[in-house]
Amino acid sequence: MSAESVARVEALVRRQDEWRLSQTLNLIASENVLSRRARALMSSDFNHRYAEGHPGARYYQGTRYIDEVEAEVRDRVGNLFGCARAEVRTISGTNANDVLFCTVLREGEPAVVNPLPVGGHISHQAMGGLGKYTRQIHTFPRRPDGYRIDVDKSKDLLKEIKPKLVVFGKSLFLFPEPVRELAPVAHEVGATVAYDGAHVLGLIAGRQFQDPLAEGADIMTGSTHKTFPGPQRGLLLSNMTEEEWKPFDKKAFPGSLSNHHLMTLPPLLVTLLEFETFGREYAAQVVRNAPALGQALQKQGFDVECADLGYTASHQIAVNVTKFGGGGKASEVLAQNDIIVNRNQLPFDPPKKVNNPSGLRLGVQEMTRFGMKEPEMEETARLMRACLIENKSVSQEVNRFRSRFVDVRYCFD
Ligand code: DSN
């Protein structure tokens, strides 16, 4: 019985691999895939070990090779983002944000963030990680399009409430944030300026998006598995002095983590090595594919947000699917047809409309990794039309289309 149970688990994993890696169109904006060689290193002895502390200063013996890998990860991350400090031990973007929040804020001190309906990440909200440290959470005023921060009104807000922490960045992330414009005012009133770059990390590393640290952010957090196509981990990056960085280091370990999922370090190192060679080309194709998908969907009869702004400057587009029953319904219909997307609130949705919001959020980064370019964005839009507007069953067509794009590109074979 128990051997059969194990075989059942193995079969589930095989089916997941086959389905999502060779049959579906994957358009979830927060996901990506590892290269074959990065993935092959996922099940090493690193899985079994402990390595608290820093390379060369551990609380355990037996870490000599783990130390070598982790030290190189830290150096290469620093080089890739051109920054002096890199905390690479956090295991997710939310974990990295937790380190940020608990280092910077004392109970009751005000923070300014993007709220959920305009794409703010859940960890920046009162119900998420930030809410553990303060209830004084204010939100950036928005421009009429709903997607971009209103710079003048935000300057007034910063002067009025004098926050201790300002957090740029979000999860529905179409356009760069006004870091250059607002960081000086935030600094004047004594705030730490943070930028959550989880979604756009690969675009920043590939020089296809804003460079938050160069524009005035004191610290950037991120996750390594969205547009940056690595294993699931988190990062904090900064140009602070060693002295200024010490509290962040302590809040990482022992403050917010102990062991740090060591099995994902070798795949991260391989991804970094691959990104150094192929990253710019990949990121450039991502930012060509996303507006191409926006335009193609608009042509096929969808209401794509921000048409007058060119749809997007990132890997994402937002589509208003109210006329197809909302994002909950539309995402389910698409999933039945092997097109995987997620529902998303749009800026003018009421705050509580989370289960069937108006929108879909689509990201092109994963299918770009599998080699899709502008013509395939047109085909993707056509299949979405067939499914949602013409009510056709297209899963077999989707599977055939996808079967031409099953090898991960932008990596060493
Ligand atoms: N919730 C993830 C997203 O999909 O944006 C980020 O953590």
Side-chain angles (χ1 to χ4, degrees), residues 234-250:
L235 295 173
L236 293 103
L237 310 170
S238 180
N239 281 315
M240 290 181 193
T241 63
E242 226 176 308
E243 213 40 43
E244 290 167 330
W245 192 243
K246 271 188 188 154
F248 292 93
D249 183 77
K250 292 226 169 337

Side-chain angles (χ1 to χ4, degrees), residues 28-31 93-94 119 121-122 170-172 198-199 223 225-226 316 342 344 361:
I28 302 251
S30 53
E31 297 178 348
T94 293
H121 189 249
I122 197 150
K170 49 204 173 144
S171 281
L172 176 57
H199 264 276
S223 50
H225 49 269
K226 295 182 169 72
Q316 300 183 2
N342 74 286
N344 219 94
R361 181 188 66 167

Side-chain angles (χ1 to χ4, degrees), residues 324 328-339 387-388 391:
F324 308 116
K329 170 134 190 283
S331 59
E332 273 170 31
V333 174
L334 288 167
Q336 280 154 17
N337 286 276
D338 288 339
I339 301 174
C387 179
L388 283 180
N391 297 318

Side-chain angles (χ1 to χ4, degrees), residues 279-329:
R280 279 196 196 208
E281 192 191 343
Y282 150 75
Q285 188 62 50
V286 169
V287 297
R288 285 196 295 270
N289 281 352
L293 181 59
Q295 195 170 28
L297 283 167
Q298 187 83 13
K299 233 170 55 194
Q300 293 289 356
F302 288 92
D303 297 324
V304 185
E305 297 281 276
C306 302
D308 54 334
L309 299 171
Y311 304 105
T312 184
S314 76
H315 60 303
Q316 300 183 2
I317 59 168
V319 188
N320 188 325
V321 287
T322 309
K323 66 189 183 196
F324 308 116
K329 170 134 190 283

